Amino acid sequence: MISHFLERIKQLQEHILEVGLAQTVLALPAPRMLALPRLSEDSGPVSIYIRAVTEVEIESVSRDLYASGHYSLAVQEAFKAVEKYVQQKSNALGVSGTPLMQQVFSTANPLLFWSERKTTSEQDEQKGYLQLYAGAMLGIRNPVTHEFKWIDDPLLSLELILFAQHLLRKAKMARTFNENEGLDRSTTAAT
């Protein structure tokens, strides 16, 4: 039964190549069974992951990678999930990475914001999170995307995944001007 399943997957892969849907081909070793650690309360950092990573956008892309020891890839996928969410919520689909975050969380004309940015604290929040989002793309997402095994420590990886989760939650709380029909963009911008 498993050999039939693998044969069907191989046929699907060949079909995708034939019709031109695949832009590149990645040669992988023959399929083999991989014993993943059980995700239970007694698995060290994995148990912390289970309790702490609760946002479905982060958990769905990083859980299996983290549990199988692919820490750098787990972090990469978590930050890509943040980027994708910010792109979609802000409708800024033509830009990515650091430029995306600088545009979306701009202090002058943000696409996503948390307040009217009239007080110093409100302005500081916008500016600070702009720097956190942009810095996360530049200092975390880029290295894990462009370097192999940039992160190989389970605790460091977990900390970064939790940071990605925080950024995702903060983006979920952000408002857009479409959600605030009564706000005039020019009067809410920082002075």
Side-chain angles (χ1 to χ4, degrees):
M1 174 145 169
I2 291 178
S3 62
H4 176 68
F5 178 73
L6 293 175
E7 183 60 33
R8 297 286 297 163
I9 290 175
K10 183 178 177 184
Q11 289 172 353
L12 175 63
Q13 290 172 330
E14 290 171 356
H15 178 71
I16 289 171
L17 287 172
E18 286 175 9
V19 297
L21 294 175
Q23 294 183 5
T24 59
V25 177
L26 178 62
L28 297 174
R32 64 175 195 245
M33 296 300 290
L34 176 63
L36 296 176
R38 266 190 16 202
L39 296 180
S40 67
E41 295 300 313
D42 59 351
S43 338
V46 174
S47 68
I48 298 169
Y49 179 101
I50 293 168
R51 290 190 306 270
V53 180
T54 58
E55 292 294 329
V56 68
E57 296 89 345
I58 302 291
E59 190 269 343
S60 66
V61 298
S62 66
R63 178 179 180 245
D64 291 342
L65 290 168
Y66 185 83
S68 62
H70 297 284
Y71 305 119
S72 202
L73 287 173
V75 171
Q76 175 184 334
E77 293 302 312
F79 280 91
K80 283 169 51 180
V82 171
E83 178 181 48
K84 181 179 177 182
Y85 183 86
V86 168
Q87 280 177 324
Q88 291 174 341
K89 183 166 184 171
S90 67
N91 202 28
L93 303 176
V95 63
S96 64
T98 304
L100 168 73
M101 302 307 169
Q102 291 170 332
Q103 175 184 337
V104 168
F105 298 107
S106 161
T107 55
N109 285 316
L111 301 175
L112 298 179
F113 54 92
W114 299 275
S115 68
E116 293 184 21
R117 297 168 326 282
K118 290 185 177 183
T119 69
T120 300
S121 293
E122 290 173 342
Q123 293 168 12
D124 288 349
E125 178 185 40
Q126 189 72 32
K127 184 176 182 180
Y129 272 95
L130 158 66
Q131 292 174 356
L132 287 172
Y133 279 95
M137 293 297 113
L138 186 62
I140 301 169
R141 193 216 54 176
N142 286 357
V144 297
T145 300
H146 300 294
E147 301 291 336
F148 292 111
K149 295 188 179 188
W150 186 257
I151 298 166
D152 62 357
D153 178 77
L155 292 177
L156 175 58
S157 174
L158 182 57
E159 289 173 0
L160 293 173
I161 291 168
L162 291 172
F163 179 52
Q165 178 170 264
H166 172 73
L167 293 177
L168 179 73
R169 285 180 178 163
K170 192 70 174 172
K172 285 181 175 184
M173 291 187 284
R175 297 181 287 170
T176 66
F177 284 100
N178 293 338
E179 295 170 348
N180 296 292
E181 295 298 329
L183 291 178
D184 176 12
R185 196 173 204 162
S186 62
T187 61
T188 60
T191 56

